[in-house]
Amino acid sequence: PALLRARQLLRDAAEEIFDDFGGLFPETTVTVGWFPGAGLPVHTDNCQDYLQQRHVTVVVWLNEGERDFQGGEFFFDDEKNAMRPQAGHAAIFGADVPHGLTAVTGGLRVSLNVWFTRNPEAAEDLRLLQHPPRAAARGPALSLRLFGQGPQQQWRGD
């Protein structure tokens, strides 16, 4: 399948950048849609105890800033250096690197996010094989996350 091939290509690129051949395993793979009002303050992707197994972050932008959505710019450290996402481009960085996302002001911003771990026991493939998927989340928690009001909004800046 195309998603698995994309994940393999992203892993290969991350392993080359971090000089860690054969040492990275996909921890979480997710397609993220950001609606108007959604954004993220400066944070790291391993800033919570349950995220400590994340070592490398890869973000691939699937649509074009300004054409498909407004706002939603990606930045490291602070918003002064924000960059407009371009479809097909990616950011690959350590999960401990501070970054954020300005609020989306219009349209729908879509990205493919893959977090990699150096711990093979934390690999998502192993977890998925051990625990079959449950029904999709429903209710207020899901709608809060869809509009940028979920738990990520409370994460401390690192």
Side-chain angles (χ1 to χ4, degrees):
L3 183 59
L4 290 178
R5 181 65 182 137
R7 192 178 69 170
Q8 290 170 341
L9 291 170
L10 297 174
R11 183 206 56 219
D12 292 349
E15 287 180 344
E16 184 172 336
I17 288 169
F18 285 91
D19 196 24
D20 199 357
F21 295 100
L24 294 178
F25 306 90
E27 186 266 346
T28 300
T29 304
V30 62
T31 304
V32 182
W34 299 88
F35 292 94
L40 278 176
V42 174
H43 66 284
T44 62
D45 289 336
N46 62 358
C47 67
Q48 301 292 312
D49 288 342
Y50 68 94
L51 301 175
Q52 289 298 304
Q53 73 281 359
R54 290 181 175 177
H55 297 104
V56 175
T57 298
V58 179
V59 178
V60 180
W61 294 290
L62 301 179
N63 59 353
E64 197 77 34
E66 292 306 310
R67 183 189 72 202
D68 301 317
F69 62 91
Q70 294 72 48
E73 294 180 326
F74 180 84
F75 61 89
F76 291 107
D77 293 321
D78 64 58
E79 293 183 27
K80 289 183 261 181
N81 298 316
M83 55 186 127
R84 182 176 300 137
Q86 294 181 316
H89 289 221
I92 301 175
F93 53 96
D96 59 348
V97 174
H99 62 284
L101 171 73
T102 64
V104 174
T105 58
L108 173 63
R109 179 189 191 273
V110 183
S111 62
L112 172 64
N113 295 10
V114 184
W115 289 276
F116 291 96
T117 182
R118 291 186 174 95
N119 177 359
E121 293 179 12
E124 70 181 339
D125 295 348
L126 181 61
R127 290 191 326 267
L128 290 172
L129 290 173
Q130 291 174 345
H131 305 286
R134 292 178 278 178
R138 298 192 195 307
L142 178 60
S143 63
L144 289 174
R145 292 182 69 84
L146 286 174
F147 293 97
Q149 307 292 316
Q152 72 276 14
Q153 196 170 44
Q154 305 302 316
W155 291 351
R156 68 177 194 282
D158 290 13

